[in-house]
Amino acid sequence: MQDSTLAQVLFFILAAILVVSEAATEFECPSTVALAFNEAHHYKDVDYDSATGSSINGSFWTDSNTMETLHLVMLQTGRSDFDGLADNSFLGRNALIPFTDWETFTGPFIDDAGWAVLALWTMADYKATHHQQNVDDFLTAAATVYDLIASNWDDTLWWTVDHIYKNAITNELFLTLSAQGYLRFKNDTYLENAKKAWAWIEGSGMRNAQGLYNDGLVFGTCVNNGETTWTYNQGVVLSGLGALYAATGNETLVSEAEITIDATIRNLTVNGILKESCDDVVLEGTPCDSDQGIWLKHLQYFLTFVHPTHPELVEKYQAFIGSQSEAVIRFATDPQLDIGSVWYGADAGGSIFSVQSLASGIMAHAANAEYGPCL
């Protein structure tokens, strides 16, 4: 690996997560770290298929999130429990193949490609800190996928390659990828993309009167469609705003993120615990993917980007972060260490226990280990 590339990767690690030398500091709670790794080992032992490099009963985008999370928690703690997982994973296998057709591999959903870039970057970071080979293969794959995403921009990004729906999550992912990409590589194209992505999101009308982002826009009229305010819509924008703040120093970006965090806590919780709209202690309607953990992970990223200049925000949200992790233990975790989708109350038949909800719970513990109180 070239020294210049390694320096770029390590710069991002210093800016975006706690590196090995900072592990076990005041930000790392040993008991909560243990919770995160107990659940992560349960995932690896029970729900991960090493033959395919994918989760059993998983999906492309949720598996990408899980790979990102497992490598993030190793990076922030300095542990290497899942060493080799990057190369074995479905993403890593394709990154190590020189001529992977990434456009076909990631599929028609542009947001799915965005989740893959985040995972490839985090796996590359882990490999770099452990002086492993083939880091550049992961970074090259991520760059290829990022360029595929960017090629679908006109005045905005579309949800799918057939360009029939403009939505929040796809553009929020492009914001965070572009801003983080600039911090990694100091390539002005990334910064320009981040700025135009935020300008579009800010002016799109997708944020409603509550301060929450609805799913997207009505095709043709481009007005807010009033559809679901998914928790991950409120989360991914945070990491994008935090990274863009780290790149520009624009304090308005921190204020905009704070509006969304506070709106989420005010409107998308029950008894102070995150609730996805389609989850209920008694099963009603279609079950969710349990995306509350994604919200917490991107809040974690946001706080890492801004806490050097805004330590008061860590203090402001610390108790809330801890409450989510505690609720996962109290209400969502069964004796087999599986985790359900409902965090805010005792399951009465409505909590969905899946590989996606397990990964979401791991994210809650990882965020709490870094920025929450010690349980």
Side-chain angles (χ1 to χ4, degrees):
M1 182 178 183
Q2 295 179 354
D3 289 344
S4 61
T5 304
L6 179 58
Q8 291 164 347
V9 171
L10 293 180
F11 173 86
F12 177 74
I13 295 171
L14 285 165
I17 57 175
L18 292 177
V19 291
V20 172
S21 63
E22 295 178 308
T25 67
E26 60 180 314
F27 296 106
E28 297 298 336
C29 172
S31 59
T32 314
V33 168
L35 284 170
F37 276 99
N38 285 343
E39 292 293 353
H41 277 283
H42 179 64
Y43 163 79
K44 180 68 164 52
D45 295 342
V46 176
D47 293 296
Y48 180 73
D49 184 352
S50 59
T52 63
S54 301
S55 301
I56 299 168
N57 297 320
S59 64
F60 180 93
W61 79 271
T62 56
D63 274 11
S64 295
N65 261 288
T66 302
M67 288 299 108
E68 178 194 5
T69 297
L70 295 183
H71 288 84
L72 172 64
V73 75
M74 286 193 292
L75 281 162
Q76 76 184 54
T77 59
R79 290 176 56 162
S80 57
D81 295 45
F82 311 112
D83 195 65
L85 183 62
D87 287 355
N88 183 255
S89 70
F90 72 108
L91 283 172
R93 294 180 188 192
N94 282 273
L96 296 174
I97 298 172
F99 302 108
T100 293
D101 180 356
W102 286 100
E103 186 169 13
T104 299
F105 181 78
T106 57
F109 296 97
I110 298 168
D111 57 334
D112 285 6
W115 303 115
V117 173
L118 288 172
L120 287 163
W121 275 348
T122 310
M123 290 190 287
D125 293 341
Y126 174 82
K127 289 169 70 71
T129 61
H130 289 78
H131 309 291
Q132 296 177 358
Q133 296 180 337
N134 303 317
V135 175
D136 278 340
D137 292 324
F138 281 70
L139 295 176
T140 298
T144 299
V145 177
Y146 176 87
D147 288 345
L148 287 170
I149 295 169
S151 70
N152 285 278
W153 178 274
D154 43 31
D155 65 333
T156 180
L157 271 184
W158 300 80
W159 183 40
T160 57
V161 294
D162 55 6
H163 291 191
I164 59 173
Y165 184 46
K166 297 181 178 183
N167 66 343
I169 193 60
T170 310
N171 286 278
E172 291 172 352
L173 281 166
F174 191 51
L175 167 63
T176 196
L177 292 175
S178 299
Q180 291 188 42
Y182 175 74
L183 294 176
R184 282 177 172 273
F185 308 116
K186 295 301 182 184
N187 182 324
D188 286 341
T189 298
Y190 284 98
L191 184 57
E192 292 167 6
N193 286 345
K195 288 179 177 178
K196 69 184 183 183
W198 171 241
W200 184 83
I201 293 168
E202 187 178 27
S204 67
M206 284 187 296
R207 180 189 267 172
N208 63 30
Q210 293 179 309
L212 299 172
Y213 289 92
N214 291 97
D215 190 70
L217 303 178
V218 176
F219 184 71
T221 62
C222 290
V223 299
N224 188 322
N225 61 17
E227 294 187 10
T228 308
T229 50
W230 301 107
T231 53
Y232 75 172
N233 281 354
Q234 324 315 318
V236 173
V237 71
L238 303 179
S239 61
L241 291 170
L244 189 55
Y245 168 74
T248 65
N250 181 351
E251 290 288 342
T252 302
L253 302 171
V254 178
S255 299
E256 289 292 324
E258 198 170 358
I259 289 170
T260 301
I261 299 169
D262 294 344
T264 302
I265 294 172
R266 187 169 56 250
N267 297 293
L268 299 181
T269 59
V270 173
N271 299 324
I273 305 302
L274 288 165
K275 180 187 184 300
E276 200 68 78
S277 60
C278 47
D279 278 330
D280 204 301
V281 292
V282 178
L283 183 60
E284 296 178 358
T286 304
C288 296
D289 283 323
S290 186
D291 298 333
Q292 307 100 304
I294 296 176
W295 187 89
L296 286 162
K297 178 164 61 178
H298 286 269
L299 174 63
Q300 179 182 3
Y301 282 140
F302 169 76
L303 291 175
T304 300
F305 285 123
V306 306
H307 90 262
T309 51
H310 289 280
E312 75 282 358
L313 292 180
V314 174
E315 183 177 354
K316 178 179 179 179
Y317 298 116
Q318 183 181 56
F320 182 80
I321 293 169
S323 295
Q324 310 315 300
S325 182
E326 185 176 10
V328 169
I329 300 166
R330 182 180 180 187
F331 293 125
T333 306
D334 70 12
Q336 291 74 45
L337 294 183
D338 290 318
I339 296 175
S341 58
V342 175
W343 295 1
Y344 67 91
D347 176 30
S351 194
I352 307 301
F353 289 81
S354 66
V355 68
Q356 290 90 347
S357 57
L358 172 61
S360 190
I362 296 170
M363 295 174 207
H365 296 323
N368 188 42
E370 187 167 3
Y371 289 121
C374 209
L375 298 180

